[in-house]
């Protein structure tokens, strides 16, 4: 190693006029911040920007104190700094490492006063030209100040606020240069920097150990260049994950070292010739011999959460973090992941798990099962399968999504009946896991057996009734980070397509149902205290992001929870029966599959890749995932039937419930809100209707509904009958028959008693997309009979006849009609056994003249009396004596043409031209 150069850390700083320098500082800061202060917000003075500048305390720059994490009982579970950071002195830093950092990050460090005006200005110009902020222009001193006092948040700050921070950083950097030597600043800088790796290693000593298994004093030129390159982007330049990027960056550092004269061409070429992968330490050599920390998955989430809450890195800012971790439940979670629980075994090394336990009323996470990967390594910041691994959730979303909204907006009761039928279009048809459509089923059965199409239809109806915006707003209020309006579609109702999430998010959304519809963002941390004492402590429950938010009515939440209790107690096997206890429990399973995406890996089409179980009591919610991170052609990476039957997520939930309530305490039942009411109605009819007197009890059901939806319709009014469009009636002239003609009933199937099955095919017009037949749960014809063609016949306001037939054309003789009288006939459709009627169409006609048949025997006086009685007059009536050929008392009648019309019916008017002859002795 070459002798360390004599760099003078005590450079004389020439005093400048404040106004001119401040103006330049503001101008350059504005250029970097991409917003001209003049012209947008007026002239922002430097004094105003520096008003809230932190007070420089050099003790705060030292990384002597570490962040400590405590469980719910106040017991320390981690000292983070001792694990991921170890400080080194300037004298321990090799020359090659100093030169590497100077060349790529701050070449004038030993000559500027904390603010490199030339570099800052050049960076600003490059940023303006490129339209990006990739060139920062910060010196080591400025970066050190930033790491200690400032943070870059997620974009919620304004550009002016970012400029203000930059100006404050410059001012603090210049102050620091007056109070500390260059060596001290450089030492502090290297001990604070983020070097990526597993757990985001802080400090160059730990970085050397992690990447090369060396002390920093042992680093060679190629290793020094690699470390100097990493800090610009610790994620993308991490050689363990992105070898190509890190190699390019290492070579860029070597080029800059050559350019600045720190190394010779020969040294440059030799260092470049060494492959980065040959420099790296293989951690698989030692992880098996080191016991993993049972709390590590929880600790990792605490560190991530602390940075989100404070905007500061707990690995560089010393904090005391109080958490809600239950050590017993956390240890059991670890043992489950490690395969140390008797009834939970993993049939494949390729299979993973991730699960989380949340307090319903506070949102506090009491335990995290980060995955089996956490049990084979002592490393931190691994892939946390409970909080950071995203998978399709399947049916476990139905309770808090489409069904919760159905209780909220559609007025569904727990006794609702849904129709399981093909749903979709000619390009895609949703189906159930077994490809079978059942027809009418109770909502309870649909949930217990995880039918898909009822949930899809519920979402369709909700969007139709309240609009897409309301549905999307509700979904976003549940904390799903991967939500995107561009990918949202009906399949999200069943946790499919591009809907991906993790156990933490599922637990948060599900626990809302057991917290009266109030959502609380899941969190591990209860409070944070800064060990320096320079910042106020934070109580998480006081923060807006962690306040309970009423996203669903307490009634709809209760109804959804009520149905989840039914799942556990169902006679239909659904993996949840394992969670049945002598106290109230709730559960819902979920499954997703590969579709055809796994075929290239030898995975059967439709093979299952994810299994879920959410379970809860009134106090806690557990969300458990079990599955595969990716498809693997060399190992089984899907659930065979045998693996599926292991019910690992269900067993995880069961074991954790036993751990939580190991001391014999039992949770209370959830309380039914006042705005949930009970209704009794006809099963399978919606909107709900009252029961019919005397109807079979098998058609009657009782359930709970949100108040406001409890009104029941009258069955006679609700039994829908189509309107009659046309009707005619006429009477024949020669007899008393009436001809009735109704428009054909639109649905001819209603003209007979309905069968217990029905066509539930998916159609596009007359084109059948998916044929299916399913159960019919109720039809009014079973009580009222079929629909018939009906009519009433009236004269002078008196109903003389009622007609009922199954035919649209019908003829019937009506004997009691008055002749020559206006007759009203009203046609309608009606049920066979129901007294009411549908919409009537009325018509009228005048009955023909009356017809009479003259008696064929009688005396002269009797015939005259008959004529008088009937108001008839004739041309002539005569009495003739028999000549022995005619029968005494015989009566004959001839018409005006001399035709014998004896025994025939004659109109009244015809009698006036007739002659009657009566035979006497």
């Amino acid at each position: 190693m070459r002798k360390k150069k004599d760099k003078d850390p005590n450079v004389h700083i020439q005093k400048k006029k404040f106004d001119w320098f401040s103006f330049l500082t503001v101008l350059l800061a504005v250029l970097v911040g991409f917003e001209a202060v003049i012209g947008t917000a007026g002239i922002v003075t430097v004094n105003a920007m520096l008003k809230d500048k932190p007070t420089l305390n050099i003790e705060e720059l030292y990384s002597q104190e570490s962040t400590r994490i405590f469980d719910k009982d106040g017991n320390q579970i981690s000292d983070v700094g001792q694990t991921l950071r170890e400080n080194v002195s300037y004298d321990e830093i090799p020359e090659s490492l100093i030169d590497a950092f100077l060349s790529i990050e701050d070449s004038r460090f030993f000559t500027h006063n904390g603010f490199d005006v030339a570099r800052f200005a050049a960076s600003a110009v490059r940023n303006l030209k490129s339209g990006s902020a990739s060139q920062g222009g910060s010196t080591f001193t400025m970066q050190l100040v930033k790491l200690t006092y400032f943070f870059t948040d997620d974009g919620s700050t304004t550009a002016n606020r970012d400029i203000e921070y930059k100006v404050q950083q410059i001012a603090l950097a210049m102050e620091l240069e007056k109070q500390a030597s260059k060596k001290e600043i450089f030492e502090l800088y290297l001990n604070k920097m983020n070097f990526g790796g597993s757990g985001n290693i802080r400090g160059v000593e730990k970085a050397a150990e992690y990447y090369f298994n060396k002390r920093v004093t042992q680093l060679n030129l190629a290793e020094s260049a690699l470390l100097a390159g990493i800090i610009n982007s610790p994620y993308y330049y991490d050689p363990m994950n992105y070898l190509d990027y890190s190699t390019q960056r290492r070579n860029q550092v070597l080029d800059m070292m050559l350019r600045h004269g720190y190394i010779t061409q020969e040294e440059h070429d030799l260092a470049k010739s060494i492959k980065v992968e040959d420099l790296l330490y293989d951690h698989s050599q030692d992880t098996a011999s080191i016991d993993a920390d049972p709390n590590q998955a929880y600790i990792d989430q605490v560190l991530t959460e602390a940075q989100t809450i404070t905007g500061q890195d707990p690995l560089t800012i010393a904090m005391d973090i109080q958490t809600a971790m239950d050590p017993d439940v956390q240890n059991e979670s670890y043992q489950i992941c490690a395969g140390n629980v008797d009834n939970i075994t993993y049939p494949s090394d390729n299979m993973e798990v991730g699960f989380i336990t949340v307090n319903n009323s506070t949102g506090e996470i009491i335990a995290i099962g980060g995955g089996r990967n956490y049990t084979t390594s002592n490393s931190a910041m691994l892939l946390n399968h409970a909080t950071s691994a995203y998978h399709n959730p399947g049916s476990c979303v139905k309770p808090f999504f489409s069904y919760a909204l159905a209780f909220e907006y559609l007025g569904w009761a727990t006794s609702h009946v849904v129709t399981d039928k093909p749903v979709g279009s000619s390009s895609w048809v949703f189906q159930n896991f077994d490809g079978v459509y059942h027809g009418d089923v109770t909502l309870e059965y649909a949930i217990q057996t995880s039918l898909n199409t009822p949930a899809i239809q519920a979402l369709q109806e909700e969007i139709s009734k309240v609009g897409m915006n309301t549905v999307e707003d509700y979904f976003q209020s549940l904390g799903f980070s991967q939500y995107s309006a561009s990918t949202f579609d009906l399949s999200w109702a069943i946790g499919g397509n591009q809907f991906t999430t993790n156990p933490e998010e599922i637990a948060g959304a599900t626990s809302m149902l057991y917290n009266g519809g109030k959502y609380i963002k899941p969190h591990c941390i209860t409070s944070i205290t800064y060990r320096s004492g320079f910042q106020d402590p934070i109580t998480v429950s006081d923060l807006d992001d962690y306040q309970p938010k009423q996203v669903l009515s307490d009634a709809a939440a209760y109804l959804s929870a009520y149905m989840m209790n039914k799942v556990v107690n169902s006679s239909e096997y659904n993996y949840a029966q394992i969670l049945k206890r002598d106290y109230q429990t709730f559960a819902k399973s979920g499954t997703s599959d590969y579709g055809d995406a796994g075929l290239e890996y030898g995975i059967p089409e439709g093979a299952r890749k994810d299994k879920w179980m959410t379970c809860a009591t009134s106090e806690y919610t557990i969300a458990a995932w079990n599955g595969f991170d990716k498809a693997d052609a060399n190992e089984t990476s899907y659930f065979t039937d045998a693996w599926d039957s292991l019910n690992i997520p269900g067993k995880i939930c069961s074991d954790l419930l036993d751990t939580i309530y190991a001391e014999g305490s039992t949770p209370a039942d959830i309380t039914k809100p006042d705005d949930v009411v009970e209704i009794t109605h006809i099963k399978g009819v919606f909107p709900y209707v009252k029961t019919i007197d005397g109807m079979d009890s098998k058609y009657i059901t009782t359930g709970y509904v949100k108040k406001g939806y409890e009104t029941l319709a009258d069955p006679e009014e609700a039994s829908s009958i189509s309107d009659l469009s046309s009707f005619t009636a006429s009477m024949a002239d020669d007899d008393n028959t009436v001809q009735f003609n109704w428009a054909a009933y639109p649905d001819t199937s209603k003209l007979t008693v309905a069968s217990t099955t029905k066509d539930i095919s998916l159609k596009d017009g007359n084109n059948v997309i998916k044929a299916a037949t399913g159960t019919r749960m109720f039809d009014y014809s079973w009580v009222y009979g079929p629909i018939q063609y009906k009519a009433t016949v009236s004269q002078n306001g008196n109903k003389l006849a009622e007609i009922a037939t199954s035919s649209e054309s019908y003829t019937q003789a009506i004997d009691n009609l008055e002749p020559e009288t206006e007759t009203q006939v009203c046609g309608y459709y009606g049920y066979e056994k129901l007294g009411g009627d549908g919409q009537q169409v009325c018509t009228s006609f005048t009955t023909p003249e009356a017809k009479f048949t003259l008696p064929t025997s009688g005396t002269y006086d009797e015939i005259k009396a008959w004529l008088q009685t009937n108001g008839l007059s004739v041309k002539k009536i005569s009495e003739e004596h028999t000549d022995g050929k005619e029968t005494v008392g015989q009566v004959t009648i001839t018409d005006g043409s001399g035709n014998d019309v004896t025994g025939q019916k004659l109109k009244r008017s015809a009698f006036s031209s007739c002659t009657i002859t009566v035979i006497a002795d």
Side-chain angles (χ1 to χ4, degrees):
M1 183 180 295
R2 302 187 313 281
K3 183 178 178 181
K4 196 173 293 185
K5 298 173 184 174
D6 185 17
K7 300 182 177 71
D8 182 7
N10 299 307
V11 177
H12 174 66
I13 303 174
Q14 182 180 357
K15 186 173 182 180
K16 301 181 181 180
K17 291 183 179 180
F18 178 77
D19 288 342
W20 283 104
F21 176 76
S22 298
F23 177 78
L24 178 60
T25 300
V26 172
L27 178 60
L28 293 176
V30 167
L31 291 174
V32 173
F34 299 107
E35 183 172 331
V37 173
I38 299 175
T40 59
I43 299 176
V44 181
T45 65
V46 173
N47 287 337
M49 286 186 169
L50 297 179
K51 182 178 63 174
D52 297 324
K53 175 179 66 67
T55 301
L56 180 68
N57 184 335
I58 200 165
E59 294 298 321
E60 294 180 296
L61 303 176
Y62 286 89
S63 302
Q64 294 177 345
E65 287 188 314
S66 60
T67 289
R68 299 179 299 186
I69 300 174
F70 303 86
D71 67 15
K72 71 178 183 67
D73 300 318
N75 299 314
Q76 182 174 315
I77 59 174
S78 179
D79 190 322
V80 179
Q82 293 178 357
T83 304
L84 299 175
R85 181 179 61 240
E86 184 176 329
N87 297 338
V88 294
S89 67
Y90 182 86
D91 292 336
E92 294 177 283
I93 303 171
E95 180 74 14
S96 63
L97 189 63
I98 297 173
D99 293 343
F101 271 91
L102 290 173
S103 66
I104 196 67
E105 290 291 328
D106 191 356
S107 60
R108 285 184 285 271
F109 171 67
F110 283 99
T111 59
H112 63 59
N113 65 349
F115 176 48
D116 189 342
V117 177
R119 183 167 184 262
F120 196 92
S123 296
V125 171
R126 285 194 295 270
N127 287 340
L128 288 173
K129 286 182 177 180
S130 66
S132 71
S134 58
Q135 303 294 325
S138 295
T139 63
F140 289 154
T141 317
M142 289 171 64
Q143 292 182 56
L144 177 60
V145 165
K146 179 180 178 180
L147 283 172
T148 305
Y149 294 108
F150 301 89
F151 61 90
T152 302
D153 57 24
D154 60 3
S156 59
T157 58
T158 64
N160 280 345
R161 184 62 169 158
D162 292 336
I163 297 168
E164 183 177 321
Y165 283 164
K166 184 65 71 175
V167 172
Q168 291 178 5
Q169 289 168 23
I170 293 170
L172 285 172
M174 295 174 62
E175 286 184 40
L176 177 59
E177 292 271 349
K178 296 176 182 178
Q179 297 183 33
S181 70
K182 288 288 186 178
K183 288 183 178 181
E184 289 175 318
I185 293 171
F186 190 79
E187 174 186 311
L188 291 169
Y189 169 79
L190 283 192
N191 285 329
K192 265 192 185 291
M193 291 308 294
N194 177 1
F195 286 87
S198 178
N200 286 329
I201 302 298
R202 262 46 174 196
V204 70
E205 176 66 17
K206 278 293 182 181
E209 291 179 9
Y210 176 76
Y211 288 113
F212 314 119
N213 197 30
K214 290 183 175 182
R215 292 294 310 278
V216 70
T217 56
Q218 300 171 312
L219 295 177
N220 60 36
L221 174 59
E223 294 163 343
S224 295
L226 181 63
L227 291 183
I230 287 174
I231 63 166
N232 183 259
S233 180
Y235 180 77
Y236 285 107
Y237 294 143
D238 181 346
M240 298 292 192
N241 295 318
Y242 299 100
L243 187 61
D244 291 345
Y245 294 158
S246 63
T247 299
Q248 293 171 10
R249 180 65 174 172
R250 189 274 311 263
N251 292 343
Q252 184 182 8
V253 174
L254 290 171
D255 291 343
M256 293 300 293
M257 293 180 74
L258 177 64
R259 174 181 172 182
H260 286 287
Y262 290 126
I263 57 175
T264 66
Q265 186 69 53
E266 181 180 0
E267 289 173 320
H268 168 273
D269 296 343
L270 178 60
K272 262 194 176 183
S273 69
I274 302 173
K275 294 182 177 180
V276 169
E277 55 264 42
D278 293 336
L279 297 173
L280 301 176
Y281 176 64
D282 182 3
H283 286 273
S284 64
Q285 301 175 44
D286 58 4
T287 54
S289 62
I290 302 176
D291 292 334
D293 184 349
N295 302 324
Q296 192 60 56
Y298 196 94
I299 292 168
D300 286 352
Q301 181 62 16
V302 169
L303 296 176
T304 299
E305 199 175 288
Q307 187 149 6
T308 300
I309 291 171
T310 66
Q312 296 172 305
D313 190 342
L315 298 181
T316 58
I317 304 297
M319 308 174 186
D320 277 343
I321 303 176
Q322 306 294 329
T323 75
M325 193 192 88
D326 184 312
D328 294 330
V329 183
Q330 179 60 38
N331 181 64
E332 189 68 13
S333 298
Y334 174 81
Q335 299 304 329
I336 291 171
C337 292
N340 296 333
V341 176
D342 290 341
N343 67 332
I344 302 176
T345 58
Y346 305 105
S348 167
D349 290 339
N350 203 27
M351 181 181 286
E352 262 295 357
V353 292
F355 48 95
I356 202 162
T357 306
V358 174
N359 183 305
N360 297 333
S361 62
T362 65
E364 293 168 355
I365 300 169
I366 68 168
I368 295 175
R372 299 175 68 198
N373 55 325
Y374 271 97
T375 67
T376 59
S377 171
N378 71 325
S379 297
M381 292 298 178
L382 302 173
L383 175 62
N384 194 322
H385 291 85
T387 62
S388 302
Y390 292 84
H391 303 274
N392 290 125
S395 295
C396 67
V397 308
K398 295 174 183 175
F400 61 74
F401 191 18
S402 54
Y403 291 142
L405 292 181
F407 293 130
E408 186 78 83
Y409 295 119
L410 302 183
W412 285 14
T414 56
S415 49
H416 192 72
V417 169
V418 294
T419 301
D420 175 32
K421 63 182 181 180
V423 179
S425 64
S426 57
S427 59
W428 176 259
V429 178
F430 290 99
Q431 62 182 19
N432 299 312
F433 71 96
D434 57 1
V436 175
Y437 301 99
H438 299 79
D440 291 347
V441 297
T442 63
L443 178 60
E444 182 177 323
Y445 179 87
I447 295 175
Q448 290 170 0
T449 58
S450 278
L451 298 182
N452 289 330
T453 72
I456 296 288
Q457 293 174 76
L459 181 56
Q460 286 178 313
E461 292 180 37
E462 290 148 9
I463 292 173
S464 177
K465 182 169 183 180
V466 301
M468 178 65 82
N469 289 341
T470 298
V471 172
E472 289 184 337
D473 288 347
Y474 169 75
F475 190 83
Q476 291 183 78
S477 73
L478 297 177
F480 288 102
S481 62
Q482 304 301 299
Y483 169 79
S484 169
S486 63
T487 61
F488 182 86
D489 58 33
L490 291 175
S491 65
W492 286 48
I494 57 175
N497 203 2
Q498 298 188 60
F499 181 4
T500 59
T501 184
N502 57 50
E504 178 188 15
E505 293 178 350
I506 288 292
T510 303
S511 65
M512 172 270 300
L513 299 177
Y514 313 104
N515 191 34
K518 293 185 285 291
Y519 172 79
I520 305 175
K521 184 178 180 180
H523 55 282
C524 298
I525 300 173
T526 58
S527 66
I528 297 174
T529 303
Y530 291 93
R531 298 186 69 183
S532 66
F534 292 111
Q535 299 184 60
D536 293 333
I538 297 171
T539 300
V540 172
S541 61
D542 292 338
L543 302 177
D544 287 343
D545 284 349
Y546 300 92
Q547 292 292 310
K549 296 176 177 60
Q550 192 78 47
V551 299
L552 191 71
S553 70
D554 58 348
Y558 174 84
L559 296 172
S560 297
Y562 175 87
M563 298 305 283
M564 295 312 99
N565 177 248
K566 293 286 189 179
V567 171
V568 176
N569 294 284
S570 172
S571 59
E572 303 289 339
Y573 181 70
N574 52 32
Y575 298 103
Q577 284 84 358
I578 191 174
L579 301 168
K580 189 173 182 179
R581 298 291 191 275
D582 57 3
Y583 51 84
Q584 199 177 52
T585 56
F586 314 84
K588 184 69 189 76
S589 63
T591 305
S592 70
D593 62 55
Y594 282 101
D596 59 4
L599 292 175
E600 62 180 301
Y601 301 98
I603 297 173
E605 184 171 359
R608 291 154 290 196
K609 67 182 178 71
D610 302 298
K611 284 179 64 67
W612 293 76
M613 182 67 75
T614 60
C615 74
T617 66
S618 60
E619 297 175 338
Y620 297 100
T621 293
I622 303 164
W625 166 84
N626 174 214
F628 304 89
D629 287 328
K630 60 182 179 179
D632 190 333
N634 298 317
E635 291 190 53
T636 301
S637 48
Y638 65 93
F639 286 94
T640 65
D641 289 342
W643 291 5
D644 181 76
S645 66
L646 292 174
N647 191 18
I648 292 174
K651 290 178 179 178
I652 290 173
C653 288
S654 180
D655 186 71
L656 290 175
L657 284 181
D658 291 344
T659 302
I660 292 170
Y661 298 107
E663 297 182 359
S665 62
T666 57
D669 291 353
I670 57 173
T671 302
K672 181 169 72 69
D674 292 338
D675 55 350
V676 170
V677 295
E678 187 176 76
I679 59 173
T680 297
H681 58 95
I682 296 177
K683 182 188 296 184
V685 178
F686 186 77
Y688 304 124
V689 299
K690 300 172 185 176
T691 59
I692 301 169
D693 289 343
M695 74 184 305
D696 195 316
S697 61
K698 67 182 179 182
Y699 303 139
I700 300 174
T701 187
T702 297
Y704 292 117
V705 71
K706 179 183 175 184
K707 195 169 186 178
Y709 294 111
E710 71 273 20
T711 301
L712 303 179
D714 185 290
E716 293 190 13
E717 297 176 358
S719 51
S720 176
I721 298 178
S722 297
D723 292 337
L724 177 63
S725 59
S726 64
F727 172 72
T728 62
S730 60
M731 190 172 186
D733 284 342
D734 56 350
D735 58 26
N736 61 349
T737 61
V738 178
Q739 176 70 38
F740 303 91
N741 295 287
W742 296 264
Y745 194 76
D747 184 357
T748 57
S749 68
K750 298 291 186 180
L751 300 176
T752 58
V753 175
S755 71
T756 56
T757 61
K758 61 181 178 179
D759 180 16
I760 54 173
S761 300
L762 175 63
K763 299 178 181 179
D764 181 8
N766 294 324
N767 179 40
V768 177
I769 298 173
K770 179 73 174 179
T773 301
T775 299
R776 188 193 311 272
M777 190 162 287
F778 177 78
D779 191 272
Y780 280 108
S781 67
W782 298 348
V783 177
Y784 295 144
I787 287 176
Q788 293 184 324
Y789 297 98
K790 292 188 173 186
T792 59
V793 181
S794 303
Q795 286 183 329
N796 301 317
N798 299 314
K799 186 183 295 184
L800 302 179
E802 291 184 329
I803 308 301
T805 176
S806 60
S807 175
E808 62 198 79
S809 294
Y810 181 67
T811 301
Q812 181 173 315
I814 303 176
D815 295 327
N816 56 345
L817 291 178
E818 292 289 335
E820 302 175 56
T821 303
E822 184 77 15
T823 304
Q824 293 77 39
V825 185
C826 294
Y828 57 96
Y829 305 132
Y831 282 104
E832 178 186 37
K833 301 175 183 178
L834 189 60
D837 50 46
Q839 180 188 28
Q840 295 185 350
V841 175
C842 296
T843 186
S844 65
F845 59 82
T846 301
T847 52
E849 290 182 65
K851 291 184 178 182
F852 302 89
T853 302
L854 182 71
T856 57
S857 64
T859 66
Y860 178 85
D861 291 336
E862 289 174 341
I863 295 303
K864 286 195 69 171
W866 180 86
L867 291 171
Q868 187 175 4
T869 298
N870 290 289
L872 300 173
S873 61
V874 295
K875 181 178 180 181
K876 178 180 179 182
I877 179 170
S878 62
E879 184 177 38
E880 297 183 2
H881 295 280
T882 181
D883 57 4
K885 295 180 180 180
E886 297 91 349
T887 304
V888 175
Q890 180 179 339
V891 180
T892 61
I893 183 169
T894 58
D895 63 16
S897 300
N899 299 314
D900 187 356
V901 291
T902 304
Q904 295 182 21
K905 279 190 174 183
L906 301 177
K907 291 182 179 180
R908 180 187 301 277
S909 59
F911 273 89
S912 63
S913 62
C914 292
T915 300
I916 299 173
T917 302
V918 180
I919 304 299
D921 290 339

